[in-house]
Amino acid sequence: MRDVCIIGIGQTPIGELWELGLRQLAFKALEAAVQDAGIERPEALFVGNMMAARLSDQAQLGALIADFAGWRGIEAVTVEAACASGGAAFQAAVRAVASGMVETAAVVGIEKMTEATGEAVTSGLATAADADYEQIHGLTFVALNALLMQRYMYEYHVPHEAFAGFPINAHRNAVNNPNAMYQREITPEIYARAPIIAPPINLYDSSPICDGAAAAILCPLEMARGLPGVKPIQVLASATATDCLNLDDRRNVISLDAARLSAEKAYQQAGIVPSDVDVFEVHDAFSIIAALSLEAAGFAEPGKATRLAEEGEIAITGRIPISTMGGLKARGHPVGATGVYEIVDVVTQLRGEAGANQVPDACIGMTQNIGGTGSTVVTHILGCI
């Protein structure tokens, strides 16, 4: 297997992008990525998406986007793994290049959610849960995460206000990200007054419905070293693990086993330990998932992740910076695109191009993209060359 590098990245702002269709949105991100990489046409395209067929009546995104980008004839497929679709698509691109079957691969994560009704989006997101044992009882995705948060608070005697540090950190970092949906800070007082969505989850515990697309271009390390003006970032690890969809069958409902297994495999592939990671783009779709992901990945003991937030350890200058460009909470969570946005954010950090949000001396970065309530988890570790 060959070593793989990221040689180009691109993204669109996240928000209510009604003026752009699926193909136009994806093309904007891909256009920026190929210009950044200095190439014209990749050999393969991998699209991460969850809900286009359901919300936009559009399947076959691979062929649709390849044609619109002027790449008609290339290999192009769509990868779906719920909210982990972007990370899974990126892994497919990594494997294609590493195997030697493809020299240059493009990956784009895309989602359009704001043009559908709230009922349609809620129903679409619920497909990440178990249809026979969870959906049938009316459990929405927010409700499932509320159950996780309730159990966590009960088991570890953690008050709700202890989670405030996660959205506060995310919103603080989003202020300096022009592509973020919410570029404003929040305070503990604002968090405490926020309306409840599903007890105990409030408005600031939950990421927003939004549109967006992010892209990356990959090639072999040998090729990357010969490209002028490119700042290649190496893919040190790419690992996926799964768990059952329905929460009641989990070994421990507040221990994300798939996140732990995925992280452990990634650490082994990269030859590192958690303390070597300089920046971690966590999947903070909900505050509780940020806490569980940090614990599963080995950055905190069970029941102790909220202390990292309370003590500032997740800040840009902290021990394990997370959500450095706003995360899912403030940058936004266009579900099928999120895993690729995480990759773009880490590449930006490792290139030293994050501006006011730059993590000092960042050399190793990690992303964790989570589908469902932890049923599919894709972890990537990237490093400077």
Side-chain angles (χ1 to χ4, degrees):
M1 300 289 277
R2 302 186 297 182
D3 291 329
V4 179
C5 284
I6 302 164
I7 56 172
I9 54 173
Q11 62 183 308
T12 70
I14 294 178
E16 299 180 1
L17 308 179
W18 297 327
E19 72 282 5
L20 297 172
L22 285 165
R23 69 192 85 195
Q24 292 88 0
L25 189 59
F27 176 71
K28 282 185 172 292
L30 284 166
E31 182 180 38
V34 295
Q35 288 179 355
D36 188 38
I39 69 166
E40 294 183 3
R41 181 186 176 97
E43 294 180 15
L45 170 65
F46 298 88
V47 181
N49 177 264
M50 179 183 175
M51 295 196 293
R54 192 177 182 97
L55 299 184
S56 304
D57 296 322
Q58 182 65 67
Q60 290 229 77
L61 293 186
L64 180 82
I65 295 166
D67 176 49
F68 191 76
W71 302 335
R72 188 180 299 181
I74 70 168
E75 172 188 345
V77 295
T78 306
V79 180
E80 184 277 317
C83 306
S85 297
F90 183 82
Q91 183 176 67
V94 170
R95 288 174 172 171
V97 174
S99 71
M101 297 183 71
V102 169
E103 288 299 305
T104 56
V107 55
V108 62
I110 179 170
E111 204 73 73
K112 282 190 66 65
M113 305 169 73
T114 63
E115 292 180 6
T117 64
E119 181 180 355
V121 174
T122 298
S123 177
L125 290 171
T127 62
D130 191 308
D132 292 334
Y133 296 101
E134 292 176 328
Q135 288 186 51
I136 198 170
H137 297 293
L139 282 169
T140 66
F141 205 56
V142 177
L144 288 166
N145 281 275
L147 291 175
L148 287 177
M149 198 171 194
Q150 287 178 5
R151 191 65 191 179
Y152 186 96
M153 291 167 61
Y154 172 79
E155 289 285 348
Y156 298 126
H157 309 288
V158 174
H160 180 252
E161 59 266 24
F163 291 89
F166 293 116
I168 288 171
N169 174 71
H171 277 264
R172 182 191 305 119
N173 294 339
V175 169
N176 299 312
N177 180 3
N179 292 306
M181 187 172 184
Y182 296 122
Q183 299 171 39
R184 59 176 181 268
E185 294 193 48
I186 64 170
T187 63
E189 293 73 26
I190 291 174
Y191 177 83
R193 295 196 305 267
I196 298 295
I197 301 172
I201 289 177
N202 72 22
L203 184 67
Y204 289 107
D205 286 315
S206 177
S207 56
I209 300 298
C210 50
D211 311 326
I217 307 297
L218 292 78
C219 76
L221 175 60
E222 299 80 8
M223 177 180 171
R225 283 176 168 160
L227 295 174
V230 170
K231 298 180 181 178
I233 299 299
Q234 187 172 352
V235 180
L236 301 178
S238 180
T240 297
T242 59
D243 202 345
C244 55
L245 269 66
N246 51 313
L247 294 180
D248 67 301
D249 269 352
R250 299 278 174 89
R251 179 189 64 84
N252 179 350
V253 74
I254 50 173
S255 174
L256 295 184
D257 283 356
R260 175 182 54 80
L261 291 169
S262 176
E264 287 175 353
K265 289 197 288 186
Y267 293 141
Q268 184 176 21
Q269 288 177 22
I272 67 169
V273 295
S275 59
D276 293 322
V277 176
D278 298 312
V279 56
F280 179 32
E281 288 304 324
V282 70
H283 191 98
D284 56 336
F286 297 92
S287 299
I288 181 61
I289 296 298
L292 294 177
S293 181
L294 281 163
E295 292 172 9
F299 296 109
E301 295 295 321
K304 302 294 178 61
T306 55
R307 294 187 185 179
L308 294 179
E310 291 176 305
E311 296 168 5
E313 295 290 348
I314 61 171
I316 295 294
T317 56
R319 175 165 63 87
I320 181 62
I322 70 169
S323 307
T324 61
M325 302 304 285
L328 284 63
K329 173 60 199 77
R331 182 195 61 233
H333 181 29
V335 291
T338 287
V340 187
Y341 271 103
E342 292 178 338
I343 294 291
V344 168
D345 288 350
V346 167
V347 170
T348 301
Q349 288 287 350
L350 301 188
R351 286 178 170 183
E353 298 174 351
N357 288 3
Q358 182 63 50
V359 174
D361 303 316
C363 189
I364 295 178
M366 177 168 152
T367 70
Q368 193 161 79
N369 192 198
I370 298 177
T373 50
S375 47
T376 302
V377 182
V378 188
T379 301
H380 286 100
I381 298 175
L382 311 180
C384 299
I385 295 177

